[in-house]
Structures are given as C-alpha cells and as structure tokens.
C-alpha cells in the first residue's frame, strides 16, 4: 500500500463490510504501517484497488485482518490472491502459523477460508480494551 491509497483502502473496507464503528480505520492503517512487523497489502488493476489485507506478525504467529474484496469483483480470485500474498509475506519473515478471526455468524466467509485450508483452532478469543473506553457493541 502507498500513502496515497489510504482513502481508497478505507472506502473498500466500508464497501466490503469489514470495518466496524468502534475501530478507527485510519488509526488501524497508521499502526500497521509504522513498523516492520505489519503491512497492508493491496491487489490493484488499472489503478483501482480491488482487494486488501492487513497482515502482521509477533515473531511466532501471523495474523490477518481487513481482508476485503470489492463487492463487484468477488468470485474472481482476488480474495485467494490477497490471502496468498499475506502468506508469502509471513513465510518470508519465518512465520509458520497464520491466524485470523471471523465473526461466528459469517458463514459465507468461514466457507471461503475453509477452502483455503483454514480450520477452527479450538481456542477461545478473549479481549480487554485498554487505553480507551470499551464500545457498547461487538
């Protein structure tokens, strides 16, 4: 991702339905782009961003966030391609485990990830909001 891509990336996140009101996308972009342990990858055609993926690593696990494909371009392989790019990014850094979170009620996306080889990890995700007030909904 280039600096000039920020508004297009955020617009795609909203159009694809991956943004949430309690997460500030500009803040998330800035955090991901400030160091070597994360990146925002984009798939582009004819100057238009068609897919994105935020990827990061902590030295042991890789995490994927904001996987989004332009709703008008779904089913054309962009989701698979952006996930493959995230996997290559992690492998290049020596990370051997890739994880992501999917909302329990998002069955269509769960099927997509199952086709890519992802399986349920049999773990429970716990969270604690620090540094700011917890939002009213999840």
């Amino acid at each position: 991702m280039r600096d000039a891509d920020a508004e297009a990336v955020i617009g795609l996140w909203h159009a694809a339905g991956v943004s949430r009101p309690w997460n500030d996308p500009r803040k998330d972009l800035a955090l991901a782009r400030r160091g070597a342990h994360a990146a925002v990858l984009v798939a582009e055609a004819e100057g238009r961003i068609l897919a994105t993926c935020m990827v990061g690593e902590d030295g042991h696990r890789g995490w994927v966030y904001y996987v989004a494909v332009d709703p008008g371009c779904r089913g054309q392989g962009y989701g698979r391609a952006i996930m493959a790019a995230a996997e290559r990014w992690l492998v290049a850094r020596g990370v051997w485990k890739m994880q992501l979170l999917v909302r329990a009620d998002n069955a269509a996306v769960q099927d997509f990830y199952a086709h890519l080889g992802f399986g349920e990890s049999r773990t429970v995700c716990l969270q604690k909001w620090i540094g700011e007030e917890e939002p009213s909904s999840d």
Side-chain angles (χ1 to χ4, degrees), residues 79-128:
R80 183 178 297 275
I82 203 73
M83 288 299 292
E87 190 171 330
R88 287 190 303 274
W89 189 93
L90 291 166
V91 167
R93 285 154 181 78
V95 177
W96 59 92
K97 189 185 298 185
M98 185 176 182
Q99 299 188 163
L100 55 91
L101 300 171
V102 176
R103 295 193 182 282
D105 62 352
N106 196 342
V109 170
Q110 290 178 41
D111 290 343
F112 167 75
Y113 289 119
H115 288 301
L116 295 183
F118 284 84
E120 200 168 327
S121 65
R122 301 168 120 188
T123 59
V124 175
C125 177
L126 305 175
Q127 71 179 10
K128 177 183 177 182

Side-chain angles (χ1 to χ4, degrees), residues 36-101:
H37 295 280
V40 178
L41 308 177
V42 298
E44 187 177 69
E46 298 177 10
R48 192 170 139 230
I49 294 175
L50 302 176
T52 69
C53 176
M54 184 183 291
V55 60
E57 55 89 9
D58 61 15
H60 176 71
R61 289 179 182 89
W63 285 90
V64 180
Y65 308 90
Y66 286 107
V67 178
V69 174
D70 182 305
C73 297
R74 290 185 180 155
Q76 297 179 30
Y78 291 108
R80 183 178 297 275
I82 203 73
M83 288 299 292
E87 190 171 330
R88 287 190 303 274
W89 189 93
L90 291 166
V91 167
R93 285 154 181 78
V95 177
W96 59 92
K97 189 185 298 185
M98 185 176 182
Q99 299 188 163
L100 55 91
L101 300 171

Side-chain angles (χ1 to χ4, degrees), residues 2 29 44 51 68 94 115 124 134 137:
R2 297 175 305 264
L29 274 176
E44 187 177 69
H115 288 301
V124 175
E134 181 176 354
S137 64

